[in-house]
Amino acid sequence: MSMRFSRDCDACDGDGQCEFCSVEFHLRAKCMSDQTLDATSNDLYSSDHTVVPVNFTDSAGYDSSEQRGIIIGNCVAGVITIFF
């Protein structure tokens, strides 16, 4: 299956709600301490195993064990945050 732009999708009339022109990601991050937790692209999981979030390493070049992902939001203990 190849992805289509929603405007070019004939399967759903371009509303962007079908398997050919959309992918759903789930965010899995939970803050368990009193410090702010950064939710990153590493915390995103795709409903389609062939699609993964983009990752980025800055010019400083973190080791692969330290790749943090792209920050998409943050949360604190006791607060549920939903990102769209």
Side-chain angles (χ1 to χ4, degrees):
M1 173 180 82
S2 64
M3 293 297 295
R4 304 173 186 166
F5 286 106
S6 60
R7 67 176 177 263
D8 299 330
C9 188
D10 54 0
C12 66
D13 297 324
D15 69 0
Q17 299 295 317
C18 77
E19 64 182 299
F20 299 108
C21 64
S22 65
V23 176
E24 183 176 297
F25 287 96
H26 300 273
L27 178 66
R28 293 184 188 156
K30 185 175 183 179
C31 184
M32 300 298 288
S33 71
D34 53 351
Q35 294 183 353
T36 301
L37 172 73
D38 290 332
T40 71
S41 56
N42 291 340
D43 299 315
L44 292 174
Y45 295 88
S46 173
S47 59
D48 180 348
H49 71 278
T50 63
V51 179
V52 295
V54 68
N55 206 344
F56 174 77
T57 303
D58 70 6
S59 58
Y62 295 107
D63 292 337
S64 61
S65 63
E66 294 182 10
Q67 287 186 356
R68 300 179 203 169
I70 299 168
I71 296 175
I72 56 176
N74 55 44
C75 55
V76 294
V79 177
I80 298 173
T81 306
I82 300 172
F83 302 96
F84 293 99

Coordinates of all heavy atoms in Angstrom, one line a residue:
M1 N 0.8 -1.2 0.0 CA 0.0 0.0 0.0 C 0.9 1.2 0.0 O 1.8 1.3 0.8 CB -0.9 0.0 1.2 CG -1.7 1.2 1.4 SD -2.7 1.3 2.9 CE -1.6 1.7 4.1
S2 N 0.6 2.2 -0.8 CA 1.3 3.4 -0.8 C 0.4 4.5 -0.3 O -0.8 4.5 -0.6 CB 1.9 3.8 -2.2 OG 0.8 4.0 -3.1
M3 N 0.9 5.5 0.4 CA 0.1 6.6 0.9 C -0.3 7.5 -0.2 O 0.5 7.7 -1.2 CB 0.9 7.4 2.0 CG 1.2 6.6 3.2 SD -0.3 6.1 4.1 CE -0.9 7.6 4.7
R4 N -1.4 8.1 0.0 CA -1.9 9.1 -1.0 C -2.2 10.4 -0.2 O -2.4 10.4 0.9 CB -3.3 8.7 -1.6 CG -3.3 7.3 -2.2 CD -4.7 6.9 -2.6 NE -4.7 5.6 -3.1 CZ -5.8 4.9 -3.2 NH1 -7.0 5.4 -2.9 NH2 -5.8 3.7 -3.7
F5 N -2.1 11.5 -1.0 CA -2.6 12.8 -0.4 C -4.1 12.7 -0.3 O -4.7 12.2 -1.1 CB -2.2 14.0 -1.3 CG -0.7 14.3 -1.3 CD1 0.1 14.0 -2.3 CD2 -0.2 15.0 -0.2 CE1 1.4 14.4 -2.3 CE2 1.2 15.3 -0.1 CZ 2.0 15.0 -1.2
S6 N -4.6 13.2 0.8 CA -6.1 13.1 1.0 C -6.8 13.8 -0.1 O -7.9 13.3 -0.5 CB -6.5 13.7 2.4 OG -6.1 15.1 2.4
R7 N -6.3 14.9 -0.7 CA -7.0 15.5 -1.8 C -7.1 14.6 -3.1 O -7.9 14.8 -3.9 CB -6.3 16.8 -2.1 CG -4.9 16.7 -2.7 CD -4.3 18.1 -3.1 NE -3.0 17.9 -3.5 CZ -1.9 18.1 -2.8 NH1 -2.0 18.5 -1.5 NH2 -0.7 17.9 -3.3
D8 N -6.2 13.6 -3.2 CA -6.1 12.8 -4.3 C -6.7 11.4 -4.1 O -6.7 10.5 -4.9 CB -4.7 12.6 -4.8 CG -4.0 13.9 -5.2 OD1 -4.7 14.8 -5.6 OD2 -2.7 13.9 -5.0
C9 N -7.3 11.2 -2.9 CA -7.8 9.9 -2.5 C -9.2 9.7 -3.0 O -10.1 10.5 -2.7 CB -7.8 9.7 -1.0 SG -8.2 8.1 -0.4
D10 N -9.4 8.6 -3.8 CA -10.7 8.3 -4.3 C -11.4 7.3 -3.4 O -12.6 7.0 -3.6 CB -10.7 7.8 -5.7 CG -9.7 6.7 -5.9 OD1 -9.1 6.2 -4.9 OD2 -9.6 6.2 -7.1
A11 N -10.7 6.7 -2.4 CA -11.3 5.7 -1.5 C -12.2 6.4 -0.5 O -13.2 5.7 0.0 CB -10.2 4.9 -0.8
C12 N -12.0 7.6 -0.1 CA -12.8 8.2 1.0 C -13.2 9.6 0.6 O -13.7 10.4 1.4 CB -12.0 8.3 2.3 SG -10.6 9.4 2.2
D13 N -13.2 10.0 -0.7 CA -13.6 11.3 -1.2 C -12.8 12.4 -0.6 O -13.3 13.5 -0.4 CB -15.1 11.5 -1.0 CG -15.9 10.5 -1.8 OD1 -15.5 10.1 -2.9 OD2 -17.0 10.1 -1.3
G14 N -11.6 12.1 -0.1 CA -10.7 13.2 0.3 C -10.9 13.7 1.7 O -10.4 14.7 2.1
D15 N -11.7 13.0 2.5 CA -12.0 13.5 3.9 C -10.8 13.1 4.9 O -10.8 13.5 6.0 CB -13.3 13.0 4.4 CG -13.4 11.5 4.7 OD1 -12.4 10.8 4.5 OD2 -14.5 11.1 5.2
G16 N -9.8 12.3 4.4 CA -8.7 12.0 5.1 C -8.9 10.9 6.2 O -8.2 10.9 7.2
Q17 N -9.9 10.1 6.1 CA -10.2 9.1 7.1 C -10.1 7.7 6.6 O -10.9 6.8 7.1 CB -11.6 9.4 7.6 CG -11.8 10.8 8.2 CD -11.0 10.9 9.5 OE1 -10.9 10.1 10.3 NE2 -10.3 12.1 9.6
C18 N -9.3 7.4 5.7 CA -9.2 6.0 5.3 C -7.7 5.5 5.4 O -6.8 6.3 5.6 CB -9.7 5.8 3.9 SG -8.6 6.4 2.5
E19 N -7.5 4.2 5.2 CA -6.2 3.6 5.3 C -5.2 4.0 4.2 O -4.0 3.8 4.3 CB -6.3 2.1 5.3 CG -6.9 1.5 4.0 CD -7.1 0.0 4.0 OE1 -6.1 -0.7 4.2 OE2 -8.2 -0.4 3.9
F20 N -5.7 4.6 3.1 CA -4.9 5.0 2.0 C -4.3 6.4 2.2 O -3.3 6.7 1.6 CB -5.6 4.9 0.7 CG -6.1 3.5 0.4 CD1 -7.5 3.2 0.5 CD2 -5.2 2.5 0.1 CE1 -7.9 1.9 0.3 CE2 -5.7 1.2 -0.2 CZ -7.0 0.9 -0.1
C21 N -5.0 7.3 3.0 CA -4.5 8.7 3.1 C -4.3 9.2 4.5 O -4.1 10.3 4.7 CB -5.4 9.6 2.3 SG -7.1 9.7 2.9
S22 N -4.4 8.3 5.5 CA -4.2 8.7 6.9 C -3.6 7.6 7.7 O -3.7 6.4 7.4 CB -5.6 9.1 7.5 OG -6.4 8.0 7.6
V23 N -2.9 8.0 8.7 CA -2.3 7.0 9.7 C -2.6 7.6 11.1 O -2.5 8.8 11.3 CB -0.8 6.9 9.5 CG1 -0.2 6.0 10.5 CG2 -0.5 6.4 8.1
E24 N -3.0 6.7 12.0 CA -3.3 7.1 13.4 C -2.1 6.8 14.2 O -1.5 5.7 14.2 CB -4.5 6.4 13.8 CG -5.0 6.7 15.2 CD -6.2 6.0 15.6 OE1 -7.3 6.2 14.9 OE2 -6.2 5.2 16.6
F25 N -1.7 7.8 15.0 CA -0.6 7.6 16.0 C -1.2 7.6 17.4 O -2.1 8.4 17.7 CB 0.5 8.7 15.9 CG 1.3 8.5 14.6 CD1 1.0 9.2 13.5 CD2 2.4 7.7 14.6 CE1 1.8 9.1 12.3 CE2 3.2 7.5 13.5 CZ 2.9 8.2 12.4
H26 N -0.6 6.9 18.3 CA -1.0 6.9 19.7 C 0.2 7.3 20.5 O 1.4 6.9 20.2 CB -1.4 5.5 20.2 CG -2.5 4.9 19.4 ND1 -3.8 5.2 19.8 CD2 -2.6 4.2 18.3 CE1 -4.6 4.6 18.9 NE2 -3.9 4.0 18.0
L27 N 0.0 8.2 21.5 CA 1.0 8.7 22.3 C 1.1 7.9 23.6 O 0.0 7.8 24.3 CB 0.8 10.2 22.6 CG 1.8 10.8 23.6 CD1 3.2 10.9 22.9 CD2 1.3 12.2 24.0
R28 N 2.2 7.3 23.9 CA 2.4 6.6 25.2 C 3.5 7.2 26.0 O 4.7 7.0 25.8 CB 2.8 5.1 24.9 CG 1.7 4.4 24.2 CD 2.1 2.9 24.0 NE 1.1 2.3 23.2 CZ 1.3 1.2 22.5 NH1 2.5 0.6 22.5 NH2 0.4 0.6 21.7
A29 N 3.0 8.1 26.9 CA 3.9 8.8 27.8 C 3.2 9.0 29.1 O 2.0 9.5 29.1 CB 4.4 10.1 27.2
K30 N 3.8 8.7 30.2 CA 3.2 8.9 31.5 C 4.2 9.5 32.5 O 5.3 8.9 32.7 CB 2.6 7.6 32.0 CG 1.8 7.7 33.3 CD 1.2 6.4 33.7 CE 0.4 6.5 34.9 NZ -0.3 5.2 35.2
C31 N 3.9 10.6 33.1 CA 4.8 11.2 34.0 C 4.5 10.7 35.4 O 3.4 10.8 35.9 CB 4.5 12.8 34.0 SG 5.7 13.6 35.1
M32 N 5.5 10.1 36.0 CA 5.3 9.5 37.3 C 6.0 10.2 38.5 O 6.0 9.8 39.6 CB 5.8 8.0 37.3 CG 5.1 7.2 36.3 SD 3.4 6.9 36.6 CE 3.5 5.9 38.1
S33 N 6.7 11.3 38.1 CA 7.4 12.1 39.1 C 6.9 13.5 39.1 O 6.0 13.9 38.4 CB 8.9 12.1 38.8 OG 9.2 12.9 37.7
D34 N 7.4 14.4 40.0 CA 7.0 15.7 40.1 C 7.8 16.6 39.1 O 7.6 17.8 39.1 CB 7.1 16.3 41.5 CG 8.5 16.1 42.1 OD1 9.3 15.4 41.5 OD2 8.7 16.6 43.2
Q35 N 8.6 16.0 38.3 CA 9.3 16.8 37.2 C 8.5 16.7 35.9 O 7.8 15.8 35.7 CB 10.7 16.2 37.0 CG 11.6 16.4 38.2 CD 13.0 15.9 37.9 OE1 13.3 15.3 36.9 NE2 13.9 16.1 38.8
T36 N 8.7 17.7 35.1 CA 8.0 17.7 33.8 C 8.6 16.7 32.9 O 9.8 16.5 32.8 CB 8.2 19.1 33.1 OG1 7.6 20.1 34.0 CG2 7.5 19.2 31.8
L37 N 7.8 15.9 32.2 CA 8.2 14.9 31.3 C 8.0 15.4 29.8 O 6.9 15.9 29.5 CB 7.4 13.6 31.5 CG 7.6 12.5 30.4 CD1 8.9 11.9 30.6 CD2 6.5 11.5 30.5
D38 N 9.0 15.4 29.0 CA 8.9 15.7 27.6 C 8.4 14.5 26.8 O 9.0 13.5 26.9 CB 10.3 16.1 27.0 CG 10.7 17.5 27.6 OD1 9.9 18.3 27.9 OD2 12.0 17.7 27.6
A39 N 7.2 14.7 26.2 CA 6.7 13.7 25.3 C 7.4 13.9 23.9 O 7.3 15.0 23.4 CB 5.2 13.8 25.2
T40 N 8.0 12.9 23.3 CA 8.7 13.1 22.1 C 8.2 12.1 21.0 O 7.3 11.3 21.3 CB 10.2 12.8 22.3 OG1 10.4 11.4 22.5 CG2 10.8 13.5 23.4
S41 N 8.7 12.3 19.8 CA 8.3 11.4 18.7 C 8.6 9.9 19.0 O 8.0 9.0 18.4 CB 9.1 11.8 17.4 OG 10.5 11.8 17.6
N42 N 9.5 9.7 20.0 CA 9.8 8.3 20.4 C 8.7 7.7 21.2 O 8.6 6.5 21.3 CB 11.1 8.2 21.2 CG 12.3 8.5 20.4 OD1 12.3 8.4 19.2 ND2 13.4 8.9 21.1
D43 N 7.8 8.5 21.7 CA 6.6 8.0 22.4 C 5.4 7.8 21.5 O 4.3 7.4 22.0 CB 6.2 9.0 23.5 CG 7.4 9.2 24.5 OD1 7.9 8.2 24.9 OD2 7.6 10.4 24.8
L44 N 5.5 8.0 20.2 CA 4.4 7.8 19.3 C 4.5 6.4 18.7 O 5.5 5.9 18.4 CB 4.5 8.8 18.1 CG 4.2 10.3 18.5 CD1 4.5 11.1 17.3 CD2 2.8 10.4 19.0
Y45 N 3.3 5.8 18.6 CA 3.2 4.4 18.0 C 2.1 4.5 17.0 O 1.0 5.0 17.2 CB 2.9 3.4 19.1 CG 4.0 3.3 20.1 CD1 4.1 4.1 21.2 CD2 5.1 2.4 19.9 CE1 5.1 4.0 22.1 CE2 6.1 2.3 20.7 CZ 6.1 3.1 21.9 OH 7.2 3.0 22.7
S46 N 2.5 3.9 15.8 CA 1.6 4.0 14.7 C 0.6 2.8 14.7 O 1.0 1.7 15.1 CB 2.4 4.0 13.4 OG 1.6 3.9 12.3
S47 N -0.6 3.0 14.2 CA -1.6 2.0 14.0 C -1.2 1.1 12.8 O -1.6 0.0 12.6 CB -3.0 2.5 13.8 OG -3.0 3.4 12.7
D48 N -0.3 1.6 11.9 CA 0.2 0.9 10.8 C 1.7 0.6 11.0 O 2.5 1.6 11.0 CB 0.0 1.7 9.5 CG 0.5 1.0 8.2 OD1 1.2 0.0 8.3 OD2 0.2 1.5 7.2
H49 N 2.1 -0.6 11.2 CA 3.5 -0.9 11.5 C 4.5 -0.5 10.4 O 5.7 -0.5 10.7 CB 3.7 -2.4 11.8 CG 3.5 -3.3 10.6 ND1 2.3 -3.7 10.1 CD2 4.5 -3.9 9.8 CE1 2.5 -4.5 9.1 NE2 3.8 -4.6 8.9
T50 N 4.1 -0.2 9.2 CA 5.0 0.2 8.2 C 5.3 1.7 8.2 O 6.1 2.2 7.4 CB 4.4 -0.2 6.8 OG1 3.2 0.5 6.6 CG2 4.2 -1.7 6.7
V51 N 4.6 2.4 9.1 CA 4.7 3.9 9.2 C 5.3 4.2 10.5 O 4.7 3.8 11.6 CB 3.4 4.6 9.0 CG1 3.6 6.1 9.1 CG2 2.8 4.3 7.6
V52 N 6.4 4.9 10.6 CA 7.0 5.3 11.9 C 7.2 6.8 11.9 O 7.3 7.5 10.9 CB 8.4 4.6 12.1 CG1 8.2 3.1 12.2 CG2 9.3 4.9 10.9
P53 N 7.2 7.4 13.1 CA 7.4 8.8 13.2 C 8.8 9.2 12.8 O 9.7 8.4 13.0 CB 7.2 9.1 14.7 CG 6.6 7.9 15.3 CD 6.9 6.8 14.4
V54 N 9.0 10.4 12.4 CA 10.3 10.9 12.0 C 11.1 11.1 13.3 O 10.6 11.4 14.3 CB 10.2 12.2 11.2 CG1 9.7 13.3 12.0 CG2 11.5 12.5 10.5
N55 N 12.4 10.9 13.2 CA 13.3 11.1 14.3 C 14.4 12.1 13.8 O 14.7 12.2 12.7 CB 13.9 9.8 14.8 CG 14.3 9.9 16.3 OD1 14.4 11.0 16.8 ND2 14.5 8.8 16.9
F56 N 15.0 12.8 14.8 CA 16.0 13.8 14.4 C 17.1 13.8 15.4 O 16.8 13.7 16.6 CB 15.3 15.2 14.4 CG 16.2 16.3 14.2 CD1 16.7 16.6 13.0 CD2 16.6 17.1 15.3 CE1 17.5 17.7 12.8 CE2 17.5 18.2 15.1 CZ 17.9 18.5 13.8
T57 N 18.3 13.9 14.9 CA 19.4 14.1 15.8 C 20.1 15.4 15.4 O 20.4 15.6 14.2 CB 20.4 13.0 15.6 OG1 19.8 11.7 15.9 CG2 21.6 13.1 16.6
D58 N 20.4 16.3 16.4 CA 21.0 17.6 16.0 C 22.4 17.4 15.7 O 23.0 16.3 15.7 CB 20.8 18.6 17.2 CG 21.6 18.3 18.4 OD1 22.4 17.3 18.4 OD2 21.4 19.0 19.4
S59 N 23.0 18.5 15.3 CA 24.4 18.5 14.8 C 25.4 18.0 15.9 O 26.5 17.6 15.6 CB 24.8 19.8 14.3 OG 24.7 20.8 15.3
A60 N 25.0 18.1 17.2 CA 25.9 17.6 18.2 C 26.1 16.1 18.1 O 27.1 15.5 18.6 CB 25.4 18.0 19.6
G61 N 25.1 15.4 17.6 CA 25.1 14.0 17.3 C 25.1 13.1 18.6 O 26.1 12.7 19.0
Y62 N 23.9 12.9 19.1 CA 23.8 12.1 20.3 C 24.1 10.6 19.9 O 23.9 10.2 18.7 CB 22.3 12.1 20.8 CG 21.9 13.4 21.4 CD1 21.1 14.2 20.7 CD2 22.4 13.9 22.6 CE1 20.7 15.5 21.2 CE2 22.1 15.1 23.1 CZ 21.2 15.9 22.4 OH 20.8 17.1 22.9
D63 N 24.6 9.8 20.8 CA 24.7 8.4 20.6 C 23.3 7.8 20.4 O 22.3 8.3 20.9 CB 25.4 7.7 21.8 CG 26.8 8.1 22.0 OD1 27.5 8.6 21.0 OD2 27.3 8.0 23.1
S64 N 23.2 6.7 19.7 CA 21.9 6.1 19.5 C 21.2 5.7 20.8 O 20.0 5.7 20.8 CB 22.1 4.8 18.6 OG 22.9 3.9 19.3
S65 N 21.9 5.5 21.8 CA 21.3 5.2 23.1 C 20.7 6.5 23.7 O 19.9 6.4 24.6 CB 22.3 4.6 24.1 OG 23.3 5.5 24.3
E66 N 21.1 7.6 23.2 CA 20.6 8.9 23.8 C 19.6 9.6 22.9 O 19.3 10.8 23.1 CB 21.8 9.8 24.1 CG 22.7 9.3 25.3 CD 23.8 10.2 25.6 OE1 23.7 11.4 25.1 OE2 24.7 9.9 26.3
Q67 N 19.2 9.0 21.8 CA 18.3 9.7 20.9 C 17.0 10.0 21.6 O 16.3 9.1 22.1 CB 18.0 8.9 19.6 CG 19.2 8.9 18.7 CD 18.9 8.2 17.4 OE1 17.8 7.6 17.3 NE2 19.8 8.2 16.5
R68 N 16.7 11.3 21.7 CA 15.5 11.7 22.5 C 14.3 11.9 21.6 O 13.2 11.9 22.2 CB 15.9 13.1 23.1 CG 17.1 13.0 24.0 CD 17.3 14.3 24.6 NE 18.7 14.3 25.1 CZ 19.4 15.4 25.4 NH1 18.7 16.5 25.5 NH2 20.6 15.3 25.8
G69 N 14.4 12.0 20.3 CA 13.2 12.3 19.5 C 12.9 13.7 19.5 O 13.5 14.6 20.2
I70 N 11.9 14.1 18.7 CA 11.4 15.5 18.6 C 10.4 15.7 19.7 O 9.4 15.0 19.8 CB 10.8 15.7 17.2 CG1 11.8 15.4 16.1 CG2 10.2 17.1 17.1 CD1 11.2 15.3 14.7
I71 N 10.6 16.8 20.5 CA 9.6 17.1 21.5 C 8.3 17.6 20.9 O 8.3 18.5 20.1 CB 10.2 18.1 22.5 CG1 11.4 17.6 23.2 CG2 9.2 18.6 23.5 CD1 12.2 18.6 24.1
I72 N 7.2 17.0 21.3 CA 5.9 17.4 20.8 C 5.0 17.9 21.9 O 3.9 18.4 21.6 CB 5.2 16.2 20.1 CG1 5.1 15.0 21.0 CG2 5.9 15.8 18.8 CD1 4.3 13.9 20.4
G73 N 5.4 17.9 23.1 CA 4.7 18.4 24.2 C 5.3 18.0 25.5 O 6.3 17.3 25.5
N74 N 4.7 18.4 26.6 CA 5.2 17.9 27.9 C 4.0 17.8 28.9 O 2.9 18.2 28.6 CB 6.3 18.8 28.5 CG 5.8 20.3 28.6 OD1 4.7 20.5 29.0 ND2 6.6 21.2 28.2
C75 N 4.3 17.0 29.9 CA 3.2 16.8 30.9 C 3.8 16.7 32.3 O 5.0 16.5 32.5 CB 2.4 15.5 30.6 SG 3.4 14.0 30.4
V76 N 2.9 16.9 33.3 CA 3.4 16.8 34.7 C 2.5 15.7 35.4 O 1.5 15.3 34.8 CB 3.2 18.1 35.4 CG1 4.2 19.1 34.9 CG2 1.8 18.6 35.4
A77 N 2.9 15.2 36.5 CA 2.2 14.1 37.2 C 0.8 14.6 37.5 O 0.5 15.7 37.9 CB 2.9 13.8 38.5
G78 N -0.1 13.6 37.3 CA -1.5 13.9 37.6 C -2.3 14.6 36.5 O -3.5 14.9 36.6
V79 N -1.6 15.0 35.4 CA -2.3 15.7 34.3 C -2.3 14.9 33.1 O -1.2 14.4 32.7 CB -1.6 17.1 34.0 CG1 -2.3 17.8 32.9 CG2 -1.6 17.9 35.3
I80 N -3.4 14.7 32.5 CA -3.5 13.9 31.2 C -3.6 15.0 30.1 O -4.4 15.8 30.1 CB -4.7 13.0 31.2 CG1 -4.6 12.0 32.3 CG2 -4.9 12.4 29.8 CD1 -5.9 11.2 32.5
T81 N -2.7 14.9 29.1 CA -2.6 15.8 28.0 C -2.8 15.0 26.7 O -2.2 14.0 26.5 CB -1.3 16.5 28.0 OG1 -1.1 17.2 29.2 CG2 -1.3 17.6 26.9
I82 N -3.7 15.5 25.9 CA -4.0 14.9 24.6 C -3.4 15.8 23.5 O -3.8 17.0 23.5 CB -5.5 14.6 24.4 CG1 -6.0 13.6 25.5 CG2 -5.7 14.0 23.0 CD1 -7.4 13.4 25.5
F83 N -2.6 15.3 22.6 CA -2.0 16.0 21.5 C -2.7 15.6 20.2 O -2.9 14.5 20.0 CB -0.5 15.8 21.4 CG 0.2 16.1 22.7 CD1 0.5 15.1 23.6 CD2 0.6 17.4 23.0 CE1 1.2 15.4 24.8 CE2 1.3 17.7 24.1 CZ 1.6 16.7 25.0
F84 N -2.9 16.6 19.4 CA -3.5 16.3 18.0 C -2.6 16.9 17.0 O -2.0 17.9 17.2 CB -4.9 16.9 17.9 CG -5.9 16.2 18.7 CD1 -6.3 16.7 19.9 CD2 -6.4 15.0 18.3 CE1 -7.2 16.1 20.7 CE2 -7.4 14.3 19.1 CZ -7.8 14.9 20.3

